Amino acid sequence: MNATRNTNKVAKQRISKEMIRALANAESFARGRSYASDGSVSDLLRRGDRLTAEVEGSEFEPYQVSIRLHGDGVADAHCTCPYDWRGYCKHIVAVLLKFADKKTPVIERKPIAELLAELDQARLIELLEKRTESDPGLVTWIEAELATAIPAHALHRADASRRRTPVDPAPVREQARVLLAARNRRGRYWDGYRSSGDIEELQRLVEKAVPFLEVGDGTNALRILEPIGEAFVDDWLDHSYDTDEHMYELFADLGRLMAEAALMSELAADERDALAETLEEWQGRLEEYGIDEGFHVAIRALQTGWDDPALATVIAGKGRSWPLTSANDWLEDHLTAVRLRVLEACGRTEEYLNLARAARAHTSYGSMLVKLERTPEAIAYAVKSFKRPDEALVLAKALREAAAHDDALKIADAGLGLAGDDENEMEGSSVVPLACWLRDYAGGIGGTAVALKAARVAFEHSLSLEAFRAVQTWAGANWHAIRKDLLAHLARALHAYDRIRIYLSEGLIDEAVRAVGDRFGHGAHDETLMHLASAAHASHPEWVIRLAMHQANSIMDANRAGHYTLAAQWLEKAALAHEVMGREDDWRACLDELIERHRRKYKLRPFLESLRGR
């Protein structure tokens, strides 16, 4: 009993709500707050820096949330929900908000490392053996972990580039099959097959090859990657190719890593040909199911190796251009990036620079110069060669990591001038990521003027509410004049997703109503329109009536039963606007007509009738 009471302590360290808000987008934060307040979060448990909880959601089984804390913030977080968007999901937000609330009891237990440290070897073995009786997958996991282990000292010693014992591929293959089987367990009988495993576990298994690649041991990396590829192709295509699109990305990663391993390995010609034939067979099977990405780069790497005389000339610094053909060959571009990683891992830095320069891999060339402490050369090359903001961002980050702060600011500031004028900038050429990075970086080291300049560029090219507010942070006493310029720029823009939200945040109701006009289905999110209706019902009642009735009717006429609550909220806005205009009788007549028109919709009618008494 005493031990139980001692573990049920309230954790002392709590994260702030402001920090949580910064970790998620506005919608996830709002919905997470609702989850936190309605009792959806349970079993809040902390072990050292690891916080776990369950959150009830739309599925029958609750979502599992795991968060790793760091200081007063969050190092990383994971949820079993399928959310894949900007920031953390609503379930993670809900757990963090409950944790931030000092009234929330948090069970504290010892970290697993501390628990196990108290055991002698015999007791630890006994525990593991007992667990494997009920969890056969644990045995497979242990075997795979031991088979792929690389000594820690080998990661830091130039003379330990290879593991003495070859990796046994059998446990790796078995672990891959176990994980794939876990992703395709049968769920509740009415659901059929559903993905229930963890894609991150599969990703971690693939990444077992990375430490070997980092020390130039391509042979052992292949002994890990090849059995994984075999299991992926066989098991995944046979069972779940049509239900699990996340695996497509893993095929691309696997193919890239196999290309690196192949270029590092001292394979005999017949071994290289045999592996290329195997990968071609795998790729053919993937393409039968419409999967284009996969093993193309690895196949090309095995077919060409380092044998091309023209490539040898380039790597030796005697060739000016690579590849020799001017055709746009995406495969050769990918293979060049792989070759650069291999040269870096093997410490062949001058050959790396020769290839990067010939291939016009500007960011790779500049970043390597920074790593080699040849910063002036990197700066000169960037000024001469960079054409896009994203190139400046990569080099600026490398300079920052090298503590060359003035140079990082210089390159990033110059990169702002590489922005295009087209609103629909091509992916990779947008200046927004660079401007946001420079804004935060310069502001953090006291460069207020640079931060303000970058903040303005970020807003002018994104027209987002977040960027608008960031400008205010750095504008200081000049905010009034700068605000006027920003709003004028916003008014001129043909497209601005956050236009209405910005107007609302500034209390510009007339401008917001005018921007929406009568095109209610375009240009603003439903939640934003709802906020606008609340703010405008007194000053623009007729417009609010048109908006509210359009939104409500679009739901009711389409029989969207799951959204009838939202339809009722819109009708309440219409009622308020009628009241402002002194047209209560018109509203009652309108409501009676709606009740009659939808009388057969038994789920909707109670909502409509409840409005009579409000």
Side-chain angles (χ1 to χ4, degrees):
M1 292 295 291
N2 290 337
T4 302
R5 282 198 299 270
N6 289 337
T7 58
N8 290 303
K9 299 185 297 181
V10 176
K12 296 179 180 179
Q13 179 183 316
R14 303 285 175 128
I15 189 172
S16 69
K17 290 184 180 180
E18 291 72 21
M19 177 69 74
I20 300 169
R21 190 184 298 273
L23 294 172
N25 61 42
E27 184 177 358
S28 291
F29 182 82
R31 299 183 72 180
R33 185 168 51 193
S34 297
Y35 273 55
S37 62
D38 67 10
S40 297
V41 180
S42 61
D43 297 336
L44 207 59
L45 171 67
R46 180 173 180 180
R47 292 184 183 273
D49 64 356
R50 182 68 63 178
L51 182 69
T52 59
E54 291 187 346
V55 182
E56 293 182 12
S58 56
E59 294 291 326
F60 180 77
E61 295 290 337
Y63 295 113
Q64 306 296 319
V65 172
S66 177
I67 299 166
R68 186 163 62 87
L69 304 169
H70 178 72
D72 295 329
V74 175
D76 59 60
H78 176 68
C79 178
T80 55
C81 78
Y83 180 84
D84 187 18
W85 196 240
R86 183 170 58 87
Y88 288 138
C89 70
K90 58 191 176 185
H91 309 107
I92 293 174
V93 169
V95 173
L96 287 172
L97 287 172
K98 291 295 288 184
F99 181 62
D101 185 353
K102 295 182 179 180
K103 297 178 182 178
T104 302
V106 180
I107 298 174
E108 278 210 351
R109 300 254 174 88
K110 285 185 177 181
I112 295 298
E114 290 185 22
L115 288 174
L116 297 180
E118 298 173 356
L119 305 178
D120 59 28
Q121 184 178 22
R123 178 57 177 152
L124 183 58
I125 293 173
E126 179 186 350
L127 278 178
L128 288 173
E129 288 181 334
K130 184 176 181 180
R131 180 60 188 176
T132 56
E133 293 175 2
S134 59
D135 184 6
L138 179 59
V139 178
T140 307
W141 177 83
I142 292 174
E143 288 179 337
E145 287 291 312
L146 295 177
T148 58
I150 186 168
H153 66 270
L155 300 176
H156 307 288
R157 284 176 48 193
D159 62 340
S161 61
R162 298 183 183 276
R163 196 174 91 156
R164 295 182 182 278
T165 306
V167 168
D168 182 0
V172 179
R173 181 183 297 105
E174 183 60 25
Q175 176 66 356
R177 287 177 172 161
V178 167
L179 292 174
L180 286 164
R183 289 189 65 77
N184 299 289
R185 290 193 300 267
R186 180 175 289 277
R188 301 184 301 279
Y189 71 89
W190 58 84
D191 282 342
Y193 285 96
R194 63 190 176 97
S195 176
S196 57
D198 189 344
I199 191 70
E200 292 188 1
E201 286 294 324
L202 289 166
Q203 183 74 48
R204 279 192 283 269
L205 184 61
V206 172
E207 290 174 353
K208 290 290 185 184
V210 172
F212 292 94
L213 294 173
E214 289 176 341
V215 296
D217 188 353
T219 301
N220 273 319
L222 274 179
R223 294 177 70 85
I224 294 172
L225 296 168
E226 189 174 355
I228 295 174
E230 179 184 351
F232 276 14
V233 173
D234 290 341
D235 292 30
W236 184 74
L237 287 180
D238 289 344
H239 298 296
S240 62
Y241 69 92
D242 59 346
T243 61
D244 198 351
E245 67 277 7
H246 292 292
M247 285 292 295
Y248 299 171
E249 299 174 6
L250 274 182
F251 280 119
D253 289 343
L254 184 61
R256 176 179 58 78
L257 293 176
M258 290 191 77
E260 293 184 30
L263 291 175
M264 286 182 188
S265 302
E266 298 176 358
L267 295 174
D270 57 339
E271 293 176 318
R272 195 165 65 182
D273 292 342
L275 181 54
E277 289 180 7
T278 297
L279 297 189
E280 286 176 334
E281 189 268 330
W282 290 354
Q283 185 62 45
R285 293 180 62 187
L286 292 179
E287 290 176 355
E288 289 177 4
Y289 293 96
I291 304 171
D292 294 329
E293 292 193 39
F295 303 102
H296 290 295
V297 176
I299 294 169
R300 175 82 63 96
L302 286 163
Q303 291 172 340
T304 59
W306 301 95
D307 301 333
D308 189 331
L311 175 63
T313 299
V314 166
I315 290 177
K318 300 176 182 178
R320 294 185 177 182
S321 179
W322 181 262
L324 298 182
T325 175
S326 59
N328 185 17
D329 186 348
W330 68 268
L331 189 56
E332 191 60 42
D333 290 342
H334 280 69
L335 183 55
T336 296
V338 168
R339 293 186 191 279
L340 289 172
R341 282 191 288 269
V342 171
L343 291 172
E344 181 177 10
C346 296
R348 298 162 62 182
T349 54
E350 285 304 316
E351 293 169 300
Y352 177 106
L353 290 172
N354 292 336
L355 179 57
R357 183 175 56 247
R360 295 167 297 282
H362 300 314
T363 55
S364 298
Y365 186 83
S367 297
M368 178 56 73
L369 287 175
V370 173
K371 291 179 182 178
L372 296 174
E373 299 182 356
R374 293 159 61 177
T375 301
E377 291 181 60
I379 299 294
Y381 181 81
V383 171
K384 176 182 177 182
S385 304
F386 285 8
K387 306 298 182 184
R388 303 194 314 269
D390 60 306
E391 294 176 326
L393 177 58
V394 172
L395 183 59
K397 288 181 176 179
L399 290 164
R400 180 183 182 180
E401 291 176 4
H405 299 292
D406 291 341
D407 291 325
L409 291 175
K410 177 183 177 181
I411 288 297
D413 190 25
L416 296 180
L418 301 176
D421 296 327
D422 187 1
E423 268 189 69
N424 300 314
E425 293 171 320
M426 296 290 290
E427 183 178 357
S429 65
S430 173
V431 74
V432 173
L434 170 64
C436 291
W437 181 87
L438 178 57
R439 176 195 68 200
D440 298 339
Y441 174 39
I445 60 176
T448 303
V450 176
L452 176 57
K453 176 184 177 181
R456 294 193 63 164
V457 171
F459 172 75
E460 290 167 1
H461 286 261
S462 69
L463 299 177
S464 72
L465 176 59
E466 178 186 15
F468 182 86
R469 289 173 173 167
V471 177
Q472 184 176 6
T473 300
W474 302 109
N478 297 321
W479 170 239
H480 180 72
I482 292 175
R483 173 182 178 272
K484 184 178 179 180
D485 291 343
L486 299 185
L487 292 174
H489 184 84
L490 178 65
R492 292 191 299 269
L494 295 177
H495 306 287
Y497 181 80
D498 274 356
R499 192 193 312 269
I500 309 306
R501 294 179 65 212
I502 293 171
Y503 284 151
L504 280 171
S505 72
E506 295 300 297
L508 302 174
I509 307 305
D510 290 346
E511 288 81 351
V513 170
R514 189 160 49 248
V516 175
D518 288 330
R519 299 177 70 250
F520 302 135
H522 305 276
H525 192 274
D526 285 348
E527 184 179 354
T528 301
L529 288 176
M530 184 72 77
H531 289 319
L532 177 55
S534 298
H537 79 270
S539 58
H540 299 76
E542 290 188 3
W543 180 84
V544 169
I545 290 172
R546 294 199 305 275
L547 167 65
M549 295 307 299
H550 174 276
Q551 298 294 96
N553 284 326
S554 66
I555 295 171
M556 296 185 293
D557 293 343
N559 300 322
R560 296 164 61 192
H563 295 78
Y564 284 160
T565 301
L566 180 59
Q569 292 173 358
W570 278 115
L571 292 174
E572 286 178 347
K573 302 301 180 188
L576 288 171
H578 277 95
E579 182 180 356
V580 167
M581 299 179 69
R583 293 168 47 188
E584 289 89 343
D585 291 342
D586 291 347
W587 168 243
R588 282 190 286 270
C590 176
L591 188 56
D592 288 341
E593 190 274 330
L594 289 174
I595 292 173
E596 175 60 24
R597 192 201 319 169
H598 300 290
R599 65 184 183 279
R600 295 183 179 179
K601 298 174 181 175
Y602 69 94
K603 290 185 178 180
L604 174 59
R605 182 159 181 156
F607 288 106
L608 298 178
E609 291 179 342
S610 68
L611 292 170
R612 279 177 167 162
R614 296 184 186 180

